[in-house]
Amino acid sequence: MITWRHGAICWLLLAVLGCGCSYSREWRAASRQAAPTNDITGAWVGVWQNSNNDHTDRLIAVISRVSETEYHARFKAWWLGILSGTFEATLTGRWEDNAFVFSGTQQVMRWTFSQEGRADPRHFQSQYSSDSYRGIFSMTRPPAP
């Protein structure tokens, strides 16, 4: 017999799976586009790595331009090679010598992370920190389709 709890769990699982599928579709579409030579918009691949412990894993992102001084970044990170989650950040900054120098904050589960870094059309490097964690995001463009 299916109870309301079973139904609620099914709906929750479908919602979670749907969120992941939406991001995967967005990232695949962005990764099929040629990377711009003068902007940081589009798909990125790389790793995240904590500096205060040995945690590290895959990281992908889709970045879109909001204005001359602001970009919207959607990240997907893996833990233990099998668990993954998505989060978003607004990267605010300025262009200096063909690189966007930025800072931003994002909420990841129950932690608020601050991030600052530098991205040019081929390389994305940032440092993140929260009350509990510190580390880096290091990404490049995915291979051409």
Side-chain angles (χ1 to χ4, degrees):
M1 173 180 216
I2 296 178
T3 66
W4 70 270
R5 287 184 189 158
H6 290 108
I9 290 170
C10 287
W11 279 111
L12 179 63
L13 286 173
L14 286 172
V16 168
L17 290 173
C19 292
C21 292
S22 169
Y23 182 87
S24 294
R25 278 192 304 273
E26 179 183 3
W27 191 87
R28 272 193 310 275
S31 70
R32 290 183 183 124
Q33 302 297 314
T37 59
N38 61 349
D39 201 5
I40 64 170
T41 59
W44 294 86
V45 296
V47 297
W48 63 271
Q49 182 176 10
N50 279 351
S51 58
N52 58 324
N53 59 37
D54 62 354
H55 295 172
T56 186
D57 213 323
R58 282 182 56 206
L59 176 71
I60 61 175
V62 177
I63 299 177
S64 56
R65 181 185 278 252
V66 175
S67 70
E68 191 64 32
T69 59
E70 191 173 278
Y71 286 83
H72 179 257
R74 288 190 68 197
F75 296 97
K76 183 172 185 177
W78 279 260
W79 295 269
L80 304 172
I82 55 171
L83 302 173
S84 67
T86 62
F87 55 96
E88 301 181 23
T90 299
L91 308 176
T92 304
R94 66 193 177 289
W95 281 92
E96 292 180 1
D97 301 325
N98 199 36
F100 188 69
V101 180
F102 62 87
S103 62
T105 59
Q106 63 263 2
Q107 192 71 31
V108 181
M109 293 190 278
R110 59 185 170 106
W111 297 282
T112 300
F113 283 85
S114 297
Q115 179 177 210
E116 55 185 47
R118 181 179 188 89
D120 65 35
R122 297 280 171 231
H123 301 93
F124 181 105
Q125 191 79 23
S126 70
Q127 298 79 38
Y128 62 84
S129 64
S130 73
D131 289 341
S132 304
Y133 300 100
R134 284 173 298 292
I136 62 164
F137 286 173
S138 182
M139 297 185 293
T140 58
R141 296 297 190 163

